[in-house]
């Protein structure tokens, strides 16, 4: 099927023997970086190398939630810019990304959680991101389906309400960016696996793929959950990453009941209603590294229990589809982005866990600037790998749900 | 996919009884002359093998033992033959 059909983003081209830039992985971060390299920096001799098909990874499996209410002063501005970019990209790409800024409601189930929410809200407000603390009654007014009674496992004390967040159609972002990049000359090579990176005197010289060797001076690995294994395999660089499988599912379609994204750390559960009417919900991770991308009965049961407690009108509703994908988790729940450090010309963008969708627009812009100028933009400086050695881990673990094999 | 783990004392049990304890990284580095780099490597850094790796587990809801096993991270299945792709000089001395 990949050989005969014409891809929606343009003509299929033959892999050349050299490119200015090679990008490994056909996910959101790769596509966005290539798009901005071409658009903002005039670098168009780029090959995106994708083992399967674009959107095979987290790009096509995520639950499409976007928001900018992270915990630390380093993360909030990056996510804020990413959030602000959706309407801009919709216009520039001439592709409806279906940004629905329905707002996120993050439930708090104890006074301690309310205090933590106050800190997170203060950070958001300081950076000009709208976010408020509301009590249980106000939460019920926003989402009448919520159960605010005392007799559930984790009674709702209040919520962090973040109106500018919401959902963006994730497949549209993949297709829109692919078309936008291809129109500017970027080549996307599906069914092509990157096998190794060639170096000489500490500089990148080539990328070996299943379709032949490509000469290049710059390579970016942004292959979602596969990045850490590839980076160790190809260059022997170890990363503070654990790769877990994250699960999601949707119910049968219902009439409109939920017009916000609702999430709960205590219940380890979030949910929103898609435009088709399904309740899309996730996202448990079994806390041991694995690349299975399979669901577990254990979690499907948990999900049903959690949803029917805080959204009791969903009792008896059936799950229709279930799936899983990879989440590359770091100990401080923040990503790793850097370049020219271990090997000249080698860049990495990984550790995006379950937040690599909402960030991809801004990250593409800044990674492109980094690669085009060889200077790390200020926005990305805090995300260097060296922070772990310097004991400068970010405080993102204090926000929302933290899943890692370390806790 | 669900996981079962063989505890050396309790035998084969449901994986949710256990806590993952990290990739096998050799002995803890000596305190003397320890550099931030070596410590960071030991504490944080992983190889993230997509294949068989040697790793530690803790039987938290059982006998409380800590023990290493070999597991294929692509299938969640324990491996009997103990060939790990994350071992230097793999398979040479392991029986
Ligand atoms: C169930 C689920 C729910 C999620 N929900 C959200 C959410 O609501 N909000 C949010 O912000 N984030 C969410 N995420 C996280 C987000 O999807 C990921 O962080 C992000 O998609 C990963 O980055 P990417 O798209 O650039 O890479 P991916 O789409 O993961 O792409 C990696 C690609 O690399 C390819 N590849 C692998 N090895 C090779 C090789 N050797 N050569 C060539 N190509 C290779 C793969 O085939 C794959 O297509 C979720 C993830 C999952 C799985």
């Amino acid at each position: 099927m990949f050989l005969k059909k014409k891809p929606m983003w343009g003509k299929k081209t033959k892999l050349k023997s050299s490119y200015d830039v090679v990008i490994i992985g056909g996910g959101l971060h790769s596509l966005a970086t290539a798009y901005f390299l071409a658009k903002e920096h005039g670098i168009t001799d780029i090959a995106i190398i994708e083992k399967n098909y674009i959107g095979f990874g987290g790009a096509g499996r995520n639950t499409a939630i976007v928001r900018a209410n992270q915990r630390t002063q380093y993360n909030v501005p990056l996510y804020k810019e990413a959030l602000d970019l959706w309407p801009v990209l919709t216009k520039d790409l001439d592709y409806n990304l279906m940004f629905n800024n329905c707002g996120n409601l993050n439930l708090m189930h104890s006074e301690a959680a309310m205090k933590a929410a106050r800190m997170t809200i203060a950070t958001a407000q300081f950076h000009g991101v709208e976010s408020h603390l509301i009590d249980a009654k106000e939460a019920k007014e926003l989402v009448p389906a919520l159960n605010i009674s005392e007799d559930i496992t984790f009674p709702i004390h209040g919520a962090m309400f973040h109106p500018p967040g919401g959902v963006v159609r994730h497949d549209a972002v993949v297709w829109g960016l692919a078309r936008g990049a291809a129109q500017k000359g970027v080549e996307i090579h599906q069914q092509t696996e990157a096998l190794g990176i060639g170096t000489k005197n500490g500089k990148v010289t080539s990328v070996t793929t299943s379709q032949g060797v490509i000469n290049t001076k710059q390579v970016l690995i942004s292959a979602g959950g596969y990045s850490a294994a590839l980076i160790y395999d190809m260059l022997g660089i170890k990363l503070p990453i654990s790769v877990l499988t994250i699960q999601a599912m949707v119910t049968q379609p219902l009439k409109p009941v939920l017009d916000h994204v609702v999430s709960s750390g205590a219940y380890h559960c979030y949910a929103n209603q898609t435009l088709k009417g399904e309740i899309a919900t996730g996202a448990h991770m079994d806390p041991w590294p694995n690349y299975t991308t399979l669901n577990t009965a254990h979690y499907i049961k948990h999900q049903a229990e959690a949803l029917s407690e805080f959204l009791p009108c969903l009792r008896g509703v059936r799950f229709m589809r279930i799936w899983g994908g990879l989440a590359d988790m770091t100990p401080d729940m923040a990503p790793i982005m850097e370049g020219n450090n271990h090997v000249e010309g080698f860049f990495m963008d990984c550790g995006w866990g379950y937040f690599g969708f909402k960030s991809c627009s801004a990250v593409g812009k800044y990674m492109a600037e980094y690669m085009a100028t060889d200077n790390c933009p200020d926005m990305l400086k805090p995300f260097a790998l060296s922070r772990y050695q310097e004991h400068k881990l970010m405080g993102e673990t204090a926000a929302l749900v933290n899943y890692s094999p370390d806790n | 996919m669900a996981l079962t783990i063989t505890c050396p004392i309790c035998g084969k049990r449901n994986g949710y009884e256990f806590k993952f304890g990290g990739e096998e990284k050799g002995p803890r580095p000596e305190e003397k002359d320890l550099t931030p780099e070596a410590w960071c490597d030991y504490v944080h850094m992983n190889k993230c093998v997509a294949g068989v790796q040697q790793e530690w587990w803790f039987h938290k809801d059982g006998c409380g033992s800590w023990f290493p096993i070999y597991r294929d991270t692509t299938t969640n299945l324990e491996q009997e033959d103990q060939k790990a792709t994350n071992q230097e000089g793999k398979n040479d001395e392991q029986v």
Side-chain angles (χ1 to χ4, degrees):
Chain A
M1 94 188 244
F2 292 100
L3 297 175
K4 294 201 187 89
K5 277 204 190 125
K6 177 172 164 277
M8 58 70 64
W9 60 84
K11 273 207 307 276
K12 219 171 126 51
T13 52
K14 254 194 100 167
L15 193 67
K16 295 191 294 178
S17 61
S18 99
Y19 290 90
D20 288 347
V21 179
V22 174
I23 301 182
I24 299 176
L28 298 155
H29 286 249
S30 299
L31 293 163
T33 305
Y35 170 75
F36 282 104
L37 272 170
K39 177 169 179 283
E40 305 281 330
H41 306 280
I43 298 172
T44 56
D45 188 30
I46 303 173
I48 293 179
I49 302 300
E50 165 56 49
K51 180 177 168 182
N52 302 293
Y53 52 87
I54 59 165
F56 166 84
R61 296 167 193 250
N62 67 75
T63 38
I65 295 166
V66 298
R67 54 180 175 82
N69 56 356
Q70 285 66 27
R71 180 64 198 87
T72 63
Q73 71 269 37
Y74 311 109
N75 283 264
V76 171
L78 184 67
Y79 288 94
K80 178 183 188 313
E81 189 160 348
L83 196 55
D84 291 343
L85 270 169
W86 299 117
V88 178
L89 277 176
T90 299
K91 215 164 146 239
D92 288 355
L93 295 170
D94 190 21
Y95 207 96
N96 188 357
L97 304 180
M98 298 167 77
F99 179 28
N100 177 9
N101 53 340
C102 55
N104 308 58
L105 201 63
N106 188 216
L107 303 176
M108 301 295 156
H109 303 271
S110 66
E111 283 314 303
M114 291 290 273
K115 281 191 184 134
R118 263 184 209 113
M119 301 253 288
T120 305
I121 288 165
T123 305
Q125 290 178 347
F126 179 79
H127 289 280
V129 173
E130 194 184 344
S131 190
H132 318 276
L133 195 69
I134 59 176
D135 64 23
K137 265 191 172 155
E138 290 169 301
K140 175 95 180 159
E141 278 162 24
L142 283 170
V143 180
L146 270 188
N147 181 356
I148 57 164
S149 74
E150 290 285 314
D151 62 349
I152 56 174
T153 314
F154 303 111
I156 296 167
H157 285 231
M160 180 163 79
F161 181 42
H162 173 49
V167 287
V168 175
R169 178 92 185 116
H170 58 312
D171 295 321
V173 180
V174 173
W175 298 326
L177 284 172
R179 195 182 67 170
Q183 277 170 349
K184 295 186 163 38
V186 173
E187 293 182 11
I188 298 170
H189 293 278
Q190 301 190 115
Q191 302 282 287
T192 307
E193 181 178 4
L195 300 169
I197 294 176
T199 60
K200 203 174 168 188
N201 303 328
K203 292 180 183 173
V204 168
T205 55
S206 65
V207 174
T208 304
T209 77
S210 55
Q211 310 290 333
V213 177
I214 306 169
N215 294 313
T216 187
K217 290 201 173 99
Q218 263 195 341
V219 54
L220 165 68
I221 294 190
S222 51
Y226 303 93
S227 305
L230 291 179
I231 291 168
Y232 178 69
D233 231 35
M234 294 180 176
L235 295 168
I237 302 167
K238 285 190 266 181
L239 294 170
I241 281 178
S242 298
V243 181
L244 310 184
T245 287
I246 178 169
Q247 307 179 35
M249 55 201 73
V250 296
T251 66
Q252 62 194 103
L254 306 173
K255 286 184 181 169
V257 288
L258 194 58
D259 57 359
H260 294 87
V261 178
V262 179
S263 62
S264 161
Y267 278 109
H268 283 218
C269 178
Y270 63 78
N272 70 285
Q273 190 165 23
T274 68
L275 295 174
K276 284 186 280 181
E278 305 153 343
I279 305 292
T281 176
H284 172 87
M285 296 188 226
D286 281 337
W288 56 83
N290 72 88
Y291 290 86
T292 62
T293 70
L294 294 175
N295 287 80
T296 51
H298 182 83
Y299 177 58
I300 299 170
K301 177 166 169 272
H302 164 92
Q303 193 74 356
E305 282 168 355
L307 284 176
S308 51
E309 280 206 13
F310 72 85
L311 293 169
C313 63
L314 297 181
R315 272 178 208 160
V317 172
R318 282 150 209 266
F319 287 124
M320 200 172 61
R321 282 183 293 122
I322 56 175
W323 69 93
L326 300 184
D328 48 338
M329 308 299 294
T330 60
D332 56 357
M333 299 276 286
I336 300 163
M337 289 176 278
E338 65 165 41
N340 291 328
N341 186 3
H342 305 81
V343 181
E344 210 179 306
F346 172 67
F347 291 77
M348 62 170 106
D349 167 19
C350 54
W352 281 105
Y354 55 85
F355 20 89
F357 175 62
K358 58 181 71 65
S359 56
C360 71
S361 45
V363 171
K365 181 181 150 190
Y366 286 107
M367 280 308 291
E369 181 186 333
Y370 197 172
M371 294 179 77
T373 62
D374 278 331
N375 281 323
C376 186
D378 287 343
M379 187 72 104
L380 300 190
K381 279 185 185 150
F383 298 98
L385 179 59
S386 56
R387 72 178 185 269
Y388 298 96
Q389 241 183 63
E390 294 158 2
H391 302 296
K392 287 186 185 154
L393 274 69
M394 286 183 190
E396 287 300 324
T397 41
L400 310 179
V401 195
N402 179 16
Y403 281 110
S404 82
D406 304 323
N407 68 2
Chain B
M1 192 167 96
L3 172 69
T4 56
I5 288 182
T6 311
C7 167
I9 295 171
C10 312
K12 192 167 173 155
R13 308 283 306 172
N14 183 326
Y16 290 108
E17 289 181 11
F18 300 82
K19 178 170 170 38
F20 178 72
E23 296 179 2
E24 159 60 19
K25 297 178 182 178
R28 182 187 164 109
E30 293 293 332
E31 297 281 325
K32 199 172 163 291
D33 302 325
L34 184 62
T35 59
E37 198 180 342
W39 182 240
C40 177
D41 189 68
Y42 181 70
V43 174
H44 292 304
M45 298 302 174
N46 290 322
K47 295 178 179 171
C48 299
V49 171
V52 180
Q53 72 174 12
Q54 192 181 14
E55 58 187 25
W56 286 88
W57 286 86
F58 169 51
H59 199 179
K60 68 175 165 64
D61 297 344
C63 63
S65 354
W66 278 94
F67 56 93
I69 62 164
Y70 290 84
R71 179 179 61 102
D72 187 335
T73 58
T74 63
T75 58
N76 263 346
L77 296 173
E78 276 182 282
Q79 301 296 305
E80 300 280 312
D81 61 351
Q82 306 194 347
K83 282 184 191 148
T85 16
N86 69 338
Q87 299 288 289
E88 310 324 303
K90 52 187 144 181
N91 314 337
D92 290 343
E93 283 130 52
Q94 286 151 15
V95 188

